[in-house]
Amino acid sequence: MPEPYQLSVAEAAGEIRSGSLSPVELAQSLLGRIDALEPSLRAWVTIDREEVLTEAKRREDELGQGGPKGPIHGVPVGLKDIYYTAGMKTACGSRINADFVPDYDATTVSRIKEAGGVILGKAVTTEFAMGDPSHAINPWNPAHTPGGSSSGSSVAVSARMCAAALGSQTGGSTCRPAAYNGIVGLKPTYGRISRYGVVPVSWSLDTVGILVRTVADAAIMLQVMAGHDPQDPGCPDQPVPDYLEAMSRQDGPPRIGLIKEFFYDKSTPEVRSHTDAAVEKLAQAGAIVQEISLPESFASAHSCQRIVSNVEAAAYHEESYRDRADEFGPKARSSIEMGMLIPSVRYVQAQRARRQFRADMMAMVREVDVVLTPGIQAPAPRDLSTTGDAMFQQPWTSSGLPSIVVPSGLSQDGLPLAIQLAGLPWDEGKLLAAAGWCESVLGVSLSPPDFS
Amino acid sequence: MSAKPTHEELLRDITERAKALWGEAKATEMAAALEQTAFNMAEIDRAIPKRDMEPGYYQ
């Protein structure tokens, strides 16, 4: 019988529903795990133990009174410290927001609570989810970056301090740290999950991200949070299917479009051969793999992402920058300053090019069920002055297409590697089904050896 | 500037803006970031879609 802290979301929720595990036992187990590991990993900013245990007890009482409220009843969830939590600090890893206490919950936080979840605490983020590294430690090797910006959320899930945590992605901030830490990261379609009450980097790029250890858990968390929110102008009224049901409907191996162009060119030889081996395994299990080409508009995709991100960040932070520029970290400050310098016409041209790029990427993905690339160009860099390179994630963020990284093995240095899959907008069901199939064929589930 | 500004023109333009906002010394300090931004803008200029394509702010 595993310790409760080792359970996935699906396992923990199942045991709670069946009565073999109480929400309080689970919360205590996770808090004990955090107590043991936090000095080494520094993944958390704020944890209100009393509140966590009070909420867990409330969930326990609710089970006796009317049954589970939803699919994650009694399961604690971590939040990147950019999510508004009523009465709990949302410091965004910054000096500027150090004492900011929101008076309402982000829509995502409300939906987690409505589904029976327990908010475990706030996880470390890079400053305002931008480029300055955080102090979180990579559990696979402390000399290597854990990635960012959702660094604490990724570390916490990898080290079994929680089964699920929220991140966010403007460039590569969910899927890259997920890959570096050996876990599953899902960046849904732009607008699939409300960002109301999430401190922005860039309104037209920001996407709520999900960090978990299995594809099924990604489906469960997406189910809990997906759907229209009138408070978020980028979150339209699109139907929300049953994602677990969509996964179970996967009646055979998927048609996979392998993108070697750019992604192989930028990868290390080790990542290239590792990805080839993973693809070969998928093909042997029946996947139809065909190599596909990127559209011409891909050439400017990274530039569009940077221009748009910098300008929108400058707009959001303009007032703080004017009064407190010296309190921003160097990379955040540089992004804001670049955003202030970019002429308005160049920003609009970037947005127009993005629209063309999105259309072209959709046409490319329509040729297959999902496309596949290496998840990262190399394992987490041995450099704590960086959060790594988001170049493999930016195209999906910029085009708004959903993407997911799934662990695929370890490098020669013992660091996690991953594959990345992407699908069509609003079709996370098909993406999750294919990702679940790949996860099952690859059979890789990673746990950092020093913290197992 | 010509119809499609060159990388050099874009770099000169934002460098002048940086100098006007924060002074010569800071603009010099920002040289690498300014270079990168000018590169990004020039790259986008090579990919601008047809004239009737609107931006899709909330795709």
Side-chain angles (χ1 to χ4, degrees):
Chain A
M1 176 80 175
E3 292 292 328
Y5 66 73
Q6 293 172 305
L7 299 172
S8 68
V9 173
E11 290 166 342
E15 291 204 11
I16 287 169
R17 273 196 300 274
S18 72
S20 58
L21 176 68
S22 86
V24 173
E25 281 171 337
L26 178 58
Q28 284 171 333
S29 177
L30 290 167
L31 290 170
R33 179 77 172 164
I34 291 168
D35 287 343
L37 301 190
E38 181 60 8
S40 310
L41 297 179
R42 303 191 304 213
W44 297 93
V45 188
T46 307
I47 291 184
D48 183 342
R49 301 176 62 89
E50 205 173 309
E51 177 67 14
V52 172
L53 291 170
T54 302
E55 277 305 302
K57 180 69 175 68
R58 184 172 298 143
R59 296 300 184 225
E60 201 161 297
D61 294 344
E62 285 166 352
L63 277 175
Q65 287 155 6
K69 286 179 76 175
I72 56 169
H73 193 97
V75 178
V77 176
L79 305 172
K80 183 176 184 175
D81 198 25
I82 58 169
Y83 284 79
Y84 275 33
T85 38
M88 184 187 272
K89 254 195 232 177
T90 300
C92 305
S94 71
R95 288 161 69 189
I96 286 164
N97 267 35
D99 298 315
F100 173 58
V101 179
D103 57 6
Y104 66 91
D105 283 337
T107 299
T108 41
V109 175
S110 302
R111 287 185 181 174
I112 286 169
K113 290 179 178 175
E114 284 159 17
V118 173
I119 300 305
L120 182 57
K122 308 298 280 290
V124 167
T125 174
T126 66
E127 185 184 23
F128 287 115
M130 294 164 88
D132 298 288
S134 74
H135 59 249
I137 303 292
N138 186 328
W140 290 87
N141 187 327
H144 292 249
T145 176
S149 60
S150 309
S151 40
S153 299
S154 302
V155 169
V157 171
S158 175
R160 277 60 179 168
M161 294 193 268
C162 57
L166 300 194
S168 64
Q169 185 156 310
T170 307
S173 289
T174 292
C175 291
R176 174 183 38 156
Y180 285 171
N181 287 280
I183 58 173
V184 171
L186 172 66
K187 182 207 81 72
T189 308
Y190 174 83
R192 176 91 278 184
I193 300 177
S194 167
R195 301 152 310 149
Y196 179 66
V198 185
V199 175
V201 178
S202 169
W203 295 286
S204 70
L205 288 162
D206 291 345
T207 312
V208 167
I210 294 170
L211 294 148
V212 285
R213 293 191 293 270
T214 69
V215 176
D217 281 2
I220 292 169
M221 292 305 296
L222 181 62
Q223 198 76 55
V224 164
M225 295 184 290
H228 177 52
D229 179 8
Q231 307 266 38
D232 176 354
C235 185
D237 193 3
Q238 286 278 341
V240 178
D242 182 330
Y243 295 114
L244 282 177
E245 201 263 334
M247 283 183 71
S248 69
R249 255 190 293 122
Q250 176 78 31
D251 54 2
R255 283 178 307 140
I256 296 174
L258 174 64
I259 310 175
K260 287 191 169 178
E261 197 180 346
F262 176 81
F263 292 94
Y264 270 46
D265 300 341
K266 299 288 182 187
S267 291
T268 62
E270 181 183 37
V271 166
R272 281 199 294 272
S273 59
H274 174 86
T275 308
D276 278 338
V279 168
E280 178 59 27
K281 200 167 178 183
L282 299 175
Q284 278 175 3
I288 300 161
V289 182
Q290 66 184 83
E291 199 174 325
I292 56 174
S293 300
L294 289 164
E296 202 179 311
S297 52
F298 185 88
S300 67
H302 295 87
S303 288
C304 289
Q305 194 275 343
R306 288 193 194 109
I307 294 296
V308 169
S309 176
N310 285 344
V311 172
E312 294 186 6
Y316 178 74
H317 291 289
E318 184 183 19
E319 205 178 318
S320 302
Y321 178 86
R322 212 164 262 159
D323 299 334
R324 304 170 70 177
D326 291 341
E327 294 179 48
F328 284 98
K331 290 184 181 173
R333 182 171 175 166
S334 174
S335 293
I336 294 165
E337 287 169 345
M338 284 304 121
M340 289 174 163
L341 296 175
I342 294 164
S344 51
V345 171
R346 304 269 79 79
Y347 167 78
V348 176
Q349 300 296 34
Q351 290 286 21
R352 295 175 72 223
R354 270 182 75 198
R355 185 171 166 207
Q356 182 64 56
F357 174 57
R358 176 180 167 86
D360 294 345
M361 290 292 270
M362 285 166 62
M364 178 191 76
V365 177
R366 274 195 201 100
E367 293 176 35
V368 288
D369 290 327
V370 290
V371 295
L372 185 151
T373 73
I376 36 182
Q377 60 270 45
R382 191 182 177 86
D383 180 358
L384 300 180
S385 71
T386 176
T387 58
D389 198 318
M391 70 167 82
F392 282 13
Q393 279 72 51
Q394 283 166 339
W396 315 110
T397 322
S398 194
S399 61
L401 271 59
S403 60
I404 187 167
V405 294
V406 178
S408 53
L410 294 176
S411 70
Q412 284 194 329
D413 293 342
L415 293 165
L417 295 171
I419 56 166
Q420 177 172 245
L421 302 168
L424 285 171
W426 315 112
D427 204 0
E428 284 88 353
K430 189 185 272 186
L431 176 64
L432 288 162
W437 185 87
C438 293
E439 177 186 51
S440 147
V441 170
L442 295 175
V444 174
S445 174
L446 301 178
S447 180
D450 291 346
F451 300 97
S452 293
Chain B
M1 283 189 184
S2 58
K4 274 201 174 180
T6 63
H7 169 263
E8 290 70 27
E9 287 170 330
L10 291 163
L11 179 59
R12 196 161 51 239
D13 180 35
I14 56 171
T15 303
E16 287 307 316
R17 283 167 185 251
K19 283 180 191 169
L21 277 172
W22 303 301
E24 184 96 34
K26 170 94 175 168
T28 305
E29 205 179 284
M30 296 167 78
L34 290 167
E35 174 71 38
Q36 177 67 49
T37 301
F39 169 83
N40 293 144
M41 292 193 295
E43 197 164 65
I44 292 165
D45 265 354
R46 288 195 290 273
I48 294 174
K50 285 181 189 160
R51 203 169 181 177
D52 56 359
M53 170 75 87
E54 287 185 25
Y57 292 108
Y58 293 105
Q59 303 161 340

Short mmCIF file of all heavy atoms in Angstrom, two decimals, chain A residues 44 47 92 110 153 188 191 195 220 252 266 269 290 303 321 336 350 386 392 397 415 430 447:
data_model
loop_
_atom_site.label_atom_id
_atom_site.label_comp_id
_atom_site.label_asym_id
_atom_site.label_seq_id
_atom_site.Cartn_x
_atom_site.Cartn_y
_atom_site.Cartn_z
N TRP A 44 7.63 25.96 -2.27
CA TRP A 44 6.41 26.62 -1.80
C TRP A 44 6.68 28.02 -1.27
O TRP A 44 7.73 28.29 -0.70
CB TRP A 44 5.76 25.78 -0.70
CG TRP A 44 5.33 24.44 -1.19
CD1 TRP A 44 6.06 23.28 -1.14
CD2 TRP A 44 4.10 24.11 -1.86
NE1 TRP A 44 5.35 22.25 -1.73
CE2 TRP A 44 4.15 22.72 -2.17
CE3 TRP A 44 2.97 24.84 -2.21
CZ2 TRP A 44 3.11 22.07 -2.82
CZ3 TRP A 44 1.92 24.18 -2.85
CH2 TRP A 44 2.00 22.82 -3.16
N ILE A 47 1.90 28.18 2.71
CA ILE A 47 1.03 27.05 3.03
C ILE A 47 0.40 27.36 4.39
O ILE A 47 1.10 27.59 5.36
CB ILE A 47 1.81 25.73 3.09
CG1 ILE A 47 2.26 25.35 1.68
CG2 ILE A 47 0.94 24.61 3.68
CD1 ILE A 47 2.97 24.05 1.56
N CYS A 92 3.39 36.65 -6.49
CA CYS A 92 3.95 36.57 -7.85
C CYS A 92 5.49 36.54 -7.85
O CYS A 92 6.11 36.98 -8.81
CB CYS A 92 3.49 37.75 -8.71
SG CYS A 92 1.72 37.94 -8.79
N SER A 110 -11.98 28.78 -7.78
CA SER A 110 -13.38 28.51 -7.42
C SER A 110 -13.82 27.16 -7.97
O SER A 110 -14.52 26.39 -7.29
CB SER A 110 -14.31 29.57 -8.01
OG SER A 110 -13.94 30.83 -7.54
N SER A 153 5.53 24.66 -8.84
CA SER A 153 4.43 23.70 -9.14
C SER A 153 5.00 22.42 -9.72
O SER A 153 4.58 21.31 -9.34
CB SER A 153 3.45 24.32 -10.14
OG SER A 153 2.86 25.48 -9.62
N PRO A 188 -3.62 23.65 -22.36
CA PRO A 188 -4.82 23.50 -23.20
C PRO A 188 -4.88 24.57 -24.29
O PRO A 188 -4.01 25.44 -24.37
CB PRO A 188 -5.97 23.68 -22.20
CG PRO A 188 -5.36 23.71 -20.84
CD PRO A 188 -3.94 24.13 -21.01
N GLY A 191 -7.78 29.90 -24.12
CA GLY A 191 -9.17 30.21 -23.83
C GLY A 191 -9.99 29.04 -23.29
O GLY A 191 -11.15 29.22 -22.92
N ARG A 195 -8.81 32.70 -17.30
CA ARG A 195 -7.66 33.29 -16.63
C ARG A 195 -8.09 34.43 -15.71
O ARG A 195 -7.26 35.21 -15.25
CB ARG A 195 -6.67 33.82 -17.67
CG ARG A 195 -6.15 32.76 -18.62
CD ARG A 195 -5.78 33.35 -19.94
NE ARG A 195 -6.87 34.18 -20.43
CZ ARG A 195 -6.70 35.26 -21.17
NH1 ARG A 195 -5.51 35.63 -21.54
NH2 ARG A 195 -7.75 35.97 -21.57
N ILE A 220 -8.60 14.85 -15.83
CA ILE A 220 -9.49 15.15 -14.69
C ILE A 220 -9.40 16.63 -14.32
O ILE A 220 -10.43 17.31 -14.14
CB ILE A 220 -9.10 14.27 -13.47
CG1 ILE A 220 -9.42 12.80 -13.76
CG2 ILE A 220 -9.83 14.74 -12.21
CD1 ILE A 220 -8.84 11.83 -12.74
N GLY A 252 -7.77 2.71 -30.98
CA GLY A 252 -6.61 2.16 -31.67
C GLY A 252 -5.48 3.14 -31.63
O GLY A 252 -5.64 4.26 -31.12
N LYS A 266 17.35 21.65 -33.65
CA LYS A 266 17.73 22.37 -32.43
C LYS A 266 18.04 21.42 -31.26
O LYS A 266 18.44 21.88 -30.20
CB LYS A 266 16.59 23.32 -32.00
CG LYS A 266 16.25 24.39 -33.02
CD LYS A 266 17.34 25.44 -33.09
CE LYS A 266 16.98 26.55 -34.06
NZ LYS A 266 18.11 27.48 -34.27
N PRO A 269 22.17 15.60 -30.06
CA PRO A 269 22.15 14.24 -30.64
C PRO A 269 21.45 13.24 -29.70
O PRO A 269 20.72 12.36 -30.15
CB PRO A 269 23.63 13.91 -30.80
CG PRO A 269 24.30 15.24 -30.94
CD PRO A 269 23.52 16.19 -30.08
N GLN A 290 3.98 9.51 -39.65
CA GLN A 290 4.44 10.12 -40.89
C GLN A 290 5.13 11.45 -40.58
O GLN A 290 4.72 12.16 -39.65
CB GLN A 290 3.26 10.35 -41.85
CG GLN A 290 2.24 11.38 -41.35
CD GLN A 290 1.05 11.53 -42.27
OE1 GLN A 290 0.10 10.74 -42.20
NE2 GLN A 290 1.11 12.54 -43.14
N SER A 303 9.44 35.03 -33.01
CA SER A 303 9.54 36.49 -32.95
C SER A 303 8.19 37.11 -32.57
O SER A 303 8.12 38.04 -31.77
CB SER A 303 10.00 37.05 -34.30
OG SER A 303 11.36 36.75 -34.51
N TYR A 321 6.15 49.91 -13.09
CA TYR A 321 7.48 50.23 -13.62
C TYR A 321 7.81 51.71 -13.38
O TYR A 321 8.92 52.06 -13.01
CB TYR A 321 7.55 49.90 -15.11
CG TYR A 321 8.89 50.24 -15.71
CD1 TYR A 321 9.95 49.34 -15.66
CD2 TYR A 321 9.11 51.48 -16.29
CE1 TYR A 321 11.20 49.67 -16.18
CE2 TYR A 321 10.35 51.82 -16.81
CZ TYR A 321 11.38 50.92 -16.77
OH TYR A 321 12.62 51.25 -17.27
N ILE A 336 9.90 44.30 -19.96
CA ILE A 336 8.99 45.45 -19.88
C ILE A 336 9.55 46.63 -20.69
O ILE A 336 8.83 47.28 -21.45
CB ILE A 336 8.77 45.85 -18.40
CG1 ILE A 336 8.02 44.73 -17.66
CG2 ILE A 336 8.03 47.17 -18.28
CD1 ILE A 336 8.07 44.85 -16.14
N ALA A 350 2.68 41.77 -35.59
CA ALA A 350 2.95 40.48 -34.94
C ALA A 350 1.64 39.73 -34.70
O ALA A 350 1.56 38.52 -34.91
CB ALA A 350 3.70 40.69 -33.64
N THR A 386 19.41 30.57 -15.53
CA THR A 386 18.41 30.53 -16.60
C THR A 386 17.29 29.57 -16.20
O THR A 386 17.47 28.72 -15.32
CB THR A 386 19.05 30.03 -17.91
OG1 THR A 386 18.04 29.92 -18.91
CG2 THR A 386 19.71 28.67 -17.76
N PHE A 392 10.72 25.15 -27.89
CA PHE A 392 9.88 24.05 -28.36
C PHE A 392 8.42 24.21 -27.94
O PHE A 392 7.55 23.51 -28.43
CB PHE A 392 10.42 22.71 -27.85
CG PHE A 392 11.63 22.20 -28.61
CD1 PHE A 392 12.33 23.01 -29.48
CD2 PHE A 392 12.05 20.88 -28.46
CE1 PHE A 392 13.44 22.55 -30.18
CE2 PHE A 392 13.16 20.40 -29.17
CZ PHE A 392 13.86 21.24 -30.02
N THR A 397 2.07 27.89 -27.92
CA THR A 397 1.46 28.98 -27.17
C THR A 397 1.05 30.09 -28.13
O THR A 397 -0.05 30.64 -28.03
CB THR A 397 2.47 29.55 -26.14
OG1 THR A 397 3.23 28.49 -25.58
CG2 THR A 397 1.76 30.29 -25.04
N LEU A 415 18.78 12.73 -16.17
CA LEU A 415 17.77 13.80 -16.13
C LEU A 415 16.60 13.45 -17.06
O LEU A 415 16.80 12.79 -18.09
CB LEU A 415 18.39 15.13 -16.57
CG LEU A 415 19.44 15.69 -15.61
CD1 LEU A 415 20.24 16.80 -16.29
CD2 LEU A 415 18.77 16.23 -14.35
N LYS A 430 -9.08 14.42 -28.10
CA LYS A 430 -8.25 13.61 -28.99
C LYS A 430 -6.78 13.66 -28.57
O LYS A 430 -6.07 12.66 -28.60
CB LYS A 430 -8.40 14.11 -30.43
CG LYS A 430 -7.75 13.18 -31.45
CD LYS A 430 -7.79 13.75 -32.85
CE LYS A 430 -9.08 13.37 -33.56
NZ LYS A 430 -9.07 13.81 -34.98
N SER A 447 10.36 9.18 -11.11
CA SER A 447 10.37 9.70 -9.75
C SER A 447 11.82 10.04 -9.39
O SER A 447 12.70 9.20 -9.54
CB SER A 447 9.82 8.63 -8.81
OG SER A 447 9.80 9.09 -7.49
#
